[in-house]
């Protein structure tokens, strides 16, 4: 299991030169006539960095995001900052290992310093593959208590999935910006958009393909569309006679299927506006009107 | 919102005789996808192909007109087309995906685009979503019971099924027709349909169904900018013969009536869920409602 927290936090900044370059970039940014930005960062706990790669997989979208909407104030990989600073939105990747005090400390620090804590990806939301950690692995054989971050701190919003998709991350980032800096109307839209993902955070820290049986089929809500099967990253779901059949031995507990199912939540006030919202996000990203 | 947002509504049928001859109604879906394939508007479409059991649909990705034609006609049981939504962009390598589905499946498409939790780089590749009117759907086994036990036709020897005018009708290859009253099919409806508040696929780019138009024609709602754009191109290419919906019988009045009936009935069911199975002390409840 990757344990970047201890390593990086304890490591002295080896190349002070890098810091200067970072600062220069900051200065150039400030000179641009852009609207007020929100501050956000990435907190890396026990995850594989796939969530962060997914953020980066927005390609030009990521640059646009950083140019116009977000000051990225904390990130072990991208920003040379040692301690979790104050920020509007913290994207936390990975579960928290309770056998490692520093991880717990950093997570608590994150909660204290952030307005909105987002559990980014299946591991932070539900434990995901780290649920299968049972100790004995190199290079930390005594690490085995990998918990979803919601077991340790209050989490505001979930982005489930393994990896979470670049598009879902982008949508949340844009909506978080609108929520904090937008017009009243935009705030309202952002609130409606984000609410179901906030409800997911309230729903709990356990996920499994079984959720489709317990909370959709057993609730007489499944209508056999098959979207759950499409969303599963490990193809654990087959559609058999119009209902999902889950191979639980394949399921990695990422939570994507249930969140993606149109019968887990379907907030029509938002979904009905699909054309407008798609255009809004495209316009914000400067990709509209093609 | 009974009929959803739309830019125009017409009664239409395909001009391609071979499509029309095999069509359930006006051949709209097949003709529209065939045109979109020809024009490169889509690279392929997710449609209902033939599954393992007789009359069991199975989602397929059709990338040729032959495959589209082979998938024509309605089979009244569940076809989980959304299961291929991501796969169409992966194994099949489509950049522009066409997809047909029920109203609930159009809701799935839009949720996949707005909340792409497990749909990496899929949303922007959905190039044409065609919705079909839907009152309810049946699990395969219920559909089998209706056809074989009630209508007394072996599925293997059925040539066509049809729902309309208050009856479920099965036509055999030898020309016999057997029917059952629609009300007797109710117990076979999949329960997930009872919370469904959409009859005419409000979230599709273009939605279509037989209701409202004369035999052999279909009612068509053109809904989104994208749908409008594609429909205009198809019209310009002479794909469809159309009549203003106001001039055909029974027209929009019947569509509105059926949509209202469905929504009213199901809204009542949704409301009942709020109290269904609540304990004597007022705690708990048996069934969740997602709405
Ligand atoms: S996504 Fe939901 S409604 Fe659709 S088949 Fe899966 S469980 Fe059923
Ligand atoms: S079944 Fe698939 S999508 Fe659902 S939780 Fe398991 S791994 Fe994730
Ligand atoms: S009635 Fe609604 S839920 Fe049932 S298949 Fe039709 S569109 Fe889907």
């Amino acid at each position: 299991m990757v344990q970047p927290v201890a390593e990086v936090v304890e490591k002295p900044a080896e190349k002070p030169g890098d810091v200067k370059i970072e600062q220069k970039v900051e200065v150039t940014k400030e000179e641009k006539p852009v609207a007020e930005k929100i501050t956000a960062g990435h907190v890396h706990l026990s995850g594989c960095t796939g969530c962060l790669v997914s953020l980066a997989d927005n390609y030009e979208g990521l640059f646009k995001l950083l140019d116009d909407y977000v000051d990225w104030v904390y990130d072990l990989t991208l920003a040379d900052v040692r301690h979790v600073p104050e920020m509007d939105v913290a994207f936390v990747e990975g579960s928290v290992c309770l056998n490692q005090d520093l991880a717990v400390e950093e997570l608590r620090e994150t909660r204290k310093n952030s307005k909105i804590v987002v559990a980014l990806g299946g591991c932070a939301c539900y434990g995901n593959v780290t649920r299968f950690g049972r100790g004995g692995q190199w290079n930390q054989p005594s690490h085995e208590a990998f918990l979803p971050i919601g077991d340790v701190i209050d989490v505001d919003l979930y982005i489930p999935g393994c990896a979470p998709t670049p598009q879902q991350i982008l949508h949340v980032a844009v909506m978080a910006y609108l929520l904090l800096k937008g017009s009243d109307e935009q705030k309202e839209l952002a609130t409606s958009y984000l609410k179901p993902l906030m409800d997911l955070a309230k729903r709990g820290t356990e996920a499994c393909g079984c959720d489709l049986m317990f909370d959709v089929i057993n609730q007489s809500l499944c209508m056999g569309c098959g979207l759950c099967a499409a969303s599963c990253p490990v193809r654990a779901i087959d559609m058999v006679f119009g209902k999902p059949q889950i191979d639980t031995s394949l399921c990695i507990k990422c939570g994507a299927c249930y969140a993606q199912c149109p019968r887990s939540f379907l907030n029509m006030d938002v979904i009905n506006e699909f054309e407008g919202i798609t255009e809004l996000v495209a316009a914000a990203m400067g990709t509209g009107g093609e | 919102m009974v009929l959803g947002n739309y830019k125009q509504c017409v009664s239409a049928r395909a001009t391609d005789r071979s499509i029309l001859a095999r069509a359930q109604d006006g051949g709209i879906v097949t003709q529209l996808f065939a045109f979109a394939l020809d024009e490169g508007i889509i690279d392929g479409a997710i449609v209902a192909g033939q599954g393992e059991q007789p009359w069991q649909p199975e989602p397929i990705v059709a990338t040729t007109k032959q495959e589209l034609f082979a998938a024509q006609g309605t089979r009244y049981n569940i076809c989980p087309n959304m299961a291929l939504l991501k796969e169409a962009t992966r194994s099949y390598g489509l950049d522009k995906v066409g997809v047909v589905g029920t109203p609930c499946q159009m809701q799935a498409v839009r949720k996949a685009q707005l909340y792409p939790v497990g749909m990496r780089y899929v949303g922007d590749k959905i190039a044409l979503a065609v919705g079909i009117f839907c009152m309810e759907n049946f699990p395969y086994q219920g559909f089998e019971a209706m056809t074989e036990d009630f209508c007394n036709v072996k599925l293997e020897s059925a040539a066509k099924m049809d729902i309309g005018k208050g009856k479920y009708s099965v036509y055999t290859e030898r020309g016999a027709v057997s029917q059952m009253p629609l009300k007797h099919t109710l117990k076979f409806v999949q329960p997930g349909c009872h919370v469904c508040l959409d009859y005419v696929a409000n979230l599709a780019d273009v939605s279509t169904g037989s209701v409202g138009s004369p035999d052999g024609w279909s009612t068509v709602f053109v809904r989104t900018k994208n749908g409008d754009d594609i429909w205009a191109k198809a019209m310009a290419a002479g794909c469809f013969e159309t009549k203003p919906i106001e001039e055909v019988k029974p027209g929009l009045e019947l569509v509105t009536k059926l949509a209202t009936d469905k929504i009213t009935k199901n809204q009542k069911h949704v409301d009942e869920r709020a109290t269904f199975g609540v304990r004597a002390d007022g705690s708990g409840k048996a069934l969740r409602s997602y709405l």
Side-chain angles (χ1 to χ4, degrees):
Chain A
M1 202 50 58
V2 187
Q3 291 301 336
V5 178
E7 280 170 30
V8 181
V9 172
E10 284 161 8
K11 199 157 60 179
E14 281 168 21
K15 294 184 197 165
D18 285 353
V19 181
K20 273 184 199 150
I21 291 167
E22 286 280 339
Q23 283 165 346
K24 260 188 219 158
V25 174
E26 285 298 317
V27 172
T28 334
K29 270 190 207 162
E30 296 310 322
E31 282 166 5
K32 279 190 191 167
V34 292
E36 208 185 344
K37 291 179 172 183
I38 59 170
T39 52
H42 174 260
V43 179
H44 201 316
L45 299 180
S46 296
C48 71
T49 322
C51 300
L52 184 64
V53 171
S54 249
L55 167 73
D57 281 348
N58 276 298
Y59 306 113
E60 319 86 77
L62 176 64
F63 295 136
K64 184 75 178 165
L65 208 57
L66 299 184
D67 275 350
D68 291 1
Y69 305 105
V70 184
D71 265 331
W72 204 248
V73 296
Y74 185 71
D75 192 322
L76 295 180
T77 322
L78 301 172
D80 201 349
V81 178
R82 290 239 225 143
H83 298 287
V84 181
E86 287 196 0
M87 54 187 142
D88 293 325
V89 189
F91 290 93
V92 183
E93 163 173 357
S95 56
V96 53
C97 178
L98 296 201
N99 307 117
Q100 191 195 32
D101 295 348
L102 206 59
V104 178
E105 210 177 285
E106 174 155 318
L107 184 60
R108 292 223 163 98
E109 200 68 11
T110 302
R111 177 68 276 183
K112 197 162 77 154
N113 290 346
S114 325
K115 287 199 190 115
I116 301 170
V117 173
V118 176
L120 175 62
C123 295
C125 298
Y126 302 115
N128 197 39
V129 284
T130 69
R131 286 283 194 193
F132 298 84
R134 43 194 286 282
Q137 71 280 358
W138 294 108
N139 57 356
Q140 298 284 5
S142 60
H143 285 183
E144 58 190 13
F146 297 99
L147 268 60
I149 63 168
D151 286 349
V152 173
I153 60 163
D154 287 336
V155 178
D156 300 302
L157 193 147
Y158 275 10
I159 303 181
C162 180
T165 67
Q167 292 73 30
Q168 184 61 75
I169 300 171
L170 185 75
H171 284 188
V172 168
V174 170
M175 290 298 172
Y177 173 81
L178 294 179
L179 182 72
L180 297 171
K181 307 285 179 194
S183 65
D184 285 352
E185 200 185 327
Q186 289 169 330
K187 283 197 170 89
E188 203 180 310
L189 169 70
T191 309
S192 312
Y193 179 89
L194 295 171
K195 185 172 181 298
L197 302 176
M198 302 180 89
D199 290 343
L200 278 182
K202 291 198 197 95
R203 185 170 167 269
T205 56
E206 284 180 26
C208 177
C210 296
D211 294 352
L212 300 175
M213 303 186 314
F214 302 159
D215 285 352
V216 188
I217 300 175
N218 293 170
Q219 291 288 312
S220 263
L221 287 171
C222 175
M223 43 56 187
C225 67
L227 194 62
C228 49
S231 70
C232 178
V234 294
R235 298 173 193 257
I237 304 172
D238 269 332
M239 293 302 291
V240 177
F241 284 114
K243 294 278 141 71
Q245 174 87 20
I246 298 106
D247 185 341
T248 46
S249 66
L250 287 179
C251 171
I252 55 170
K253 326 287 179 196
C254 75
C257 52
Y258 178 74
Q260 190 69 82
C261 166
R263 291 291 171 89
S264 62
F265 69 84
L266 192 74
N267 46 343
M268 289 312 287
D269 53 338
V270 172
I271 306 269
N272 265 332
E273 302 304 320
F274 67 95
E275 250 188 311
I277 296 175
T278 309
E279 279 169 13
L280 178 81
V281 174
M285 289 297 112
T287 53
E290 284 167 300
Chain B
M1 281 305 283
V2 197
L3 301 181
N5 298 322
Y6 59 91
K7 299 188 192 300
Q8 52 167 317
C9 177
V10 292
S11 192
R13 67 177 181 189
T15 48
D16 185 325
R17 293 287 144 197
S18 60
I19 291 181
L20 211 49
R22 308 179 48 157
Q24 186 82 14
D25 303 297
I28 307 297
V29 180
T30 308
Q31 176 88 67
L32 195 57
F33 279 152
F35 168 75
L37 258 184
D38 274 347
E39 294 299 306
I41 296 168
I42 58 173
D43 306 321
I46 306 170
V47 295
Q50 179 56 49
E52 276 175 24
Q53 314 288 327
W55 290 93
Q56 183 189 34
E58 186 177 299
I60 58 159
V61 176
T63 52
T64 64
K65 286 208 265 187
Q66 286 66 34
E67 286 168 325
L68 275 180
F69 297 158
Q72 269 191 276
T74 304
R75 304 174 190 81
Y76 291 100
N77 63 105
I78 304 163
C79 189
N81 280 3
M82 299 307 112
L84 287 181
L85 209 49
K86 183 157 67 179
E87 199 58 11
T89 70
R90 302 298 200 271
S91 310
Y92 297 88
L94 307 192
D95 283 329
K96 290 170 275 181
V97 181
V99 58
V100 60
T102 50
C104 58
Q105 294 183 331
M106 294 299 108
Q107 294 173 342
V109 167
R110 300 316 175 189
K111 183 169 177 183
Q113 289 178 311
L114 286 182
Y115 293 94
V117 183
M119 307 297 281
R120 185 187 162 96
Y121 281 108
V122 175
D124 60 346
K125 298 196 172 66
I126 297 166
L128 176 58
V130 181
I132 40 187
F133 301 176
C134 178
M135 192 52 87
E136 71 261 307
N137 205 345
F138 304 96
Y140 184 76
Q141 293 79 358
F143 161 79
E144 186 179 30
M146 283 154 51
T147 313
E148 300 205 334
D149 300 349
F150 283 73
C151 292
N152 213 11
V153 177
K154 288 295 283 177
L155 281 172
E156 288 86 342
S157 52
K160 179 176 173 169
M161 287 88 170
D162 185 35
I163 289 180
K165 306 186 176 76
K167 293 199 168 61
Y168 172 64
S169 313
V170 184
Y171 304 81
T172 69
E173 281 170 7
R174 295 168 145 230
V177 188
S178 91
Q179 299 182 313
M180 69 188 280
L182 215 45
K183 65 171 190 281
H184 291 162
T185 67
L186 277 184
K187 70 171 181 179
F188 296 113
V189 170
Q190 65 166 341
C193 291
H194 296 321
V195 298
C196 174
L197 304 177
D198 186 346
Y199 175 57
V200 284
N202 294 356
L203 300 184
D205 288 315
V206 173
S207 49
T208 181
S210 64
V211 173
S213 289
D215 284 351
W217 291 70
S218 297
T219 302
V220 177
F221 290 97
V222 180
R223 299 186 177 283
T224 60
K225 276 182 203 160
N226 179 43
D228 202 30
D229 185 41
I230 296 170
W231 182 259
K233 286 180 185 153
M235 285 300 294
C239 290
F240 300 104
E241 193 184 335
T242 65
K243 292 179 187 170
I245 193 72
E246 298 77 21
E247 286 171 22
V248 301
K249 289 265 177 275
L252 268 192
E253 206 179 310
L254 184 63
V255 186
T256 311
K257 182 187 178 302
L258 293 190
T260 311
D261 287 353
K262 171 178 176 176
I263 294 168
T264 313
K265 175 172 65 98
N266 289 350
Q267 184 63 55
K268 189 159 163 267
H269 174 87
V270 168
D271 295 343
E272 281 165 4
R273 283 191 172 216
T275 49
F276 182 71
V278 171
R279 290 195 195 94
D281 67 359
S283 71
K285 76 186 189 70
L287 291 179
R288 191 170 70 81
S289 183
Y290 73 107
L291 295 159

